Amino acid sequence: MYHARFKGTHYEIGRKWGELLRKNNKYLLDNIPFEITKEMEAFSKECLPYYKDFFPGVIEEINGIAKGQLIDPNLLYAILFSMYGLVRATNCSSFIVKNERTYLLGRNSDFLTAIEKMYMNCLYTFKGPDSYSFSGNTTAFVEMEDGINQCGLAIALTSVFPDSIKPGMNVGMILRMILEKCQNVEQALELLKRIPRCTAGTLVMADLSGEACLVEFTNDRLVHCSLNEKGFLCATNSFHLPEMQAFKISLDDDWFAEKRYRTLEQYLAEHGQTMSIPEAKKLLGGDFGFLCQYDRKTGKDTVWSSIYDLKNNQFFRCEGNPSRKQFKEDSRFIF
């Protein structure tokens, strides 16, 4: 996993990183695992006004990266804005559990092994008061897939295969925006209701006040719920809230989404009120049922795992499959 520290304005961050990569003969466009199509370029142009209106800072960052890489920013827009929409990935598992012993958010990121050396942990510190610092993890760049900000708001996504797409912001960019702009779950929900969404997904969120929720959404519908009576929430790559059942789509290959969901739900329902960090590591590592036991020969695997311990202000990450590699505490970021 590549580790990066970013400081400055959005544009400065982007340009410095783009230049650093170029000086080391690394070019982003050479490492994209899919073709940039005319459809993606056209779709990104339709999405661009929404990013400019709701999250202009991220446009400045992308423009800075393009300047540093000496490339057309429209190519980066096409890549980033099409993720989870035209470029569809249905993977990852996440949960929140709260009891007398612990309060944590856990997540496995499942993706392609071919580009796993490019996956990043990013520490962002911005100039000015408009954006909170955060630590985030991503299989790409700019967009984030799980993280925590300086206020102690932790969040993780899973993608859901959409029944339709329309211009708007994707779930990875929305998660990044929440980390930058929100102090707590309440503010995140208020922001989510205003953001135009291009596709479908789930988010689990927890903050230091003890508030936690699961959000399931399409591009025109959003439903959320708080911790259940047993003190947990979980999500994989499908909808499970009653109001969203009509929007579930069956796929030939969903990376065992329902099997992973059953593992989380069954274990947390039985043991959620007594578990703590050691059990969370074992759960994410597949000790209690299928969650990360992919056959790497297929090109799929769990490529990192995160645990945000909100009770003790700690963050643990396993860089690789947690059934084979160890979690290590990351103490570089204070929340």
Side-chain angles (χ1 to χ4, degrees), residues 130-191:
D130 296 331
S131 294
Y132 297 116
S133 302
F134 68 84
S135 172
N137 301 310
T138 178
T139 56
F141 55 98
V142 179
E143 64 95 21
M144 295 291 146
E145 293 151 29
D146 64 72
I148 191 165
N149 69 14
Q150 69 184 68
C151 306
L153 174 61
I155 183 169
L157 69 80
T158 72
S159 59
V160 175
F161 196 88
D163 60 351
S164 67
I165 63 170
K166 66 181 182 180
M169 293 177 59
N170 70 43
V171 63
M173 291 295 202
I174 290 172
L175 187 148
R176 160 82 187 263
M177 186 178 178
I178 289 172
L179 286 173
E180 281 196 36
K181 304 301 181 183
C182 300
Q183 294 180 322
N184 51 44
V185 168
E186 180 181 4
Q187 290 182 5
L189 287 173
E190 291 174 358
L191 182 61

Side-chain angles (χ1 to χ4, degrees), residues 269-286:
E270 186 173 352
H271 303 286
Q273 285 304 296
T274 58
M275 70 179 289
S276 56
I277 295 295
E279 291 80 21
K281 292 177 180 178
K282 290 180 179 180
L283 175 60
L284 291 167

Side-chain angles (χ1 to χ4, degrees), residues 50-291:
Y50 296 101
Y51 286 95
K52 287 182 175 179
D53 286 346
F54 286 88
F55 199 11
V58 85
I59 299 299
E60 295 172 12
E61 184 174 328
I62 295 168
N63 290 345
I65 294 171
K67 185 71 172 180
Q69 288 272 283
L70 302 178
I71 58 176
D72 183 351
N74 288 299
L75 294 174
L76 297 183
Y77 299 157
I79 294 165
L80 291 166
F81 299 169
S82 297
M83 288 183 181
Y84 307 105
L86 295 177
V87 180
R88 294 170 179 173
T90 54
N91 36 48
C92 304
S93 308
S94 56
F95 68 90
I96 295 171
V97 65
K98 184 179 181 183
N99 58 42
E100 292 183 358
R101 301 175 63 190
T102 196
Y103 176 36
L104 61 86
L105 185 155
R107 179 177 185 267
N108 277 353
S109 179
D110 305 342
F111 205 50
L112 305 175
T113 59
I115 55 171
E116 62 187 343
K117 291 183 179 179
M118 297 172 57
Y119 302 152
M120 299 173 65
N121 170 254
C122 307
L123 301 182
Y124 276 84
T125 303
F126 299 96
K127 286 183 180 177
D130 296 331
S131 294
Y132 297 116
S133 302
F134 68 84
S135 172
N137 301 310
T138 178
T139 56
F141 55 98
V142 179
E143 64 95 21
M144 295 291 146
E145 293 151 29
D146 64 72
I148 191 165
N149 69 14
Q150 69 184 68
C151 306
L153 174 61
I155 183 169
L157 69 80
T158 72
S159 59
V160 175
F161 196 88
D163 60 351
S164 67
I165 63 170
K166 66 181 182 180
M169 293 177 59
N170 70 43
V171 63
M173 291 295 202
I174 290 172
L175 187 148
R176 160 82 187 263
M177 186 178 178
I178 289 172
L179 286 173
E180 281 196 36
K181 304 301 181 183
C182 300
Q183 294 180 322
N184 51 44
V185 168
E186 180 181 4
Q187 290 182 5
L189 287 173
E190 291 174 358
L191 182 61
L192 276 168
K193 293 172 183 177
R194 293 191 292 109
I195 296 173
R197 302 176 301 276
C198 74
T199 184
T202 78
L203 295 167
V204 295
M205 304 184 289
D207 65 35
L208 293 182
S209 75
E211 290 298 314
C213 79
L214 162 68
V215 182
E216 296 184 353
F217 61 84
T218 63
N219 52 29
D220 60 3
R221 185 175 180 83
L222 184 148
V223 178
H224 63 89
C225 70
S226 300
L227 291 166
N228 61 27
E229 69 279 1
K230 294 189 176 181
F232 75 88
L233 296 165
C234 57
T236 55
N237 309 103
S238 185
F239 296 133
H240 292 91
L241 295 179
E243 303 94 326
M244 299 297 287
Q245 291 296 303
F247 302 96
K248 293 184 74 164
I249 295 176
S250 297
L251 302 175
D252 291 335
D253 182 9
D254 61 4
W255 293 42
F256 307 101
E258 289 302 324
K259 192 172 184 179
R260 288 184 278 117
Y261 186 85
R262 288 196 300 273
T263 294
L264 291 173
E265 185 180 47
Q266 290 172 6
Y267 181 81
L268 294 172
E270 186 173 352
H271 303 286
Q273 285 304 296
T274 58
M275 70 179 289
S276 56
I277 295 295
E279 291 80 21
K281 292 177 180 178
K282 290 180 179 180
L283 175 60
L284 291 167
D287 283 20
F288 307 127
F290 185 92
L291 210 64

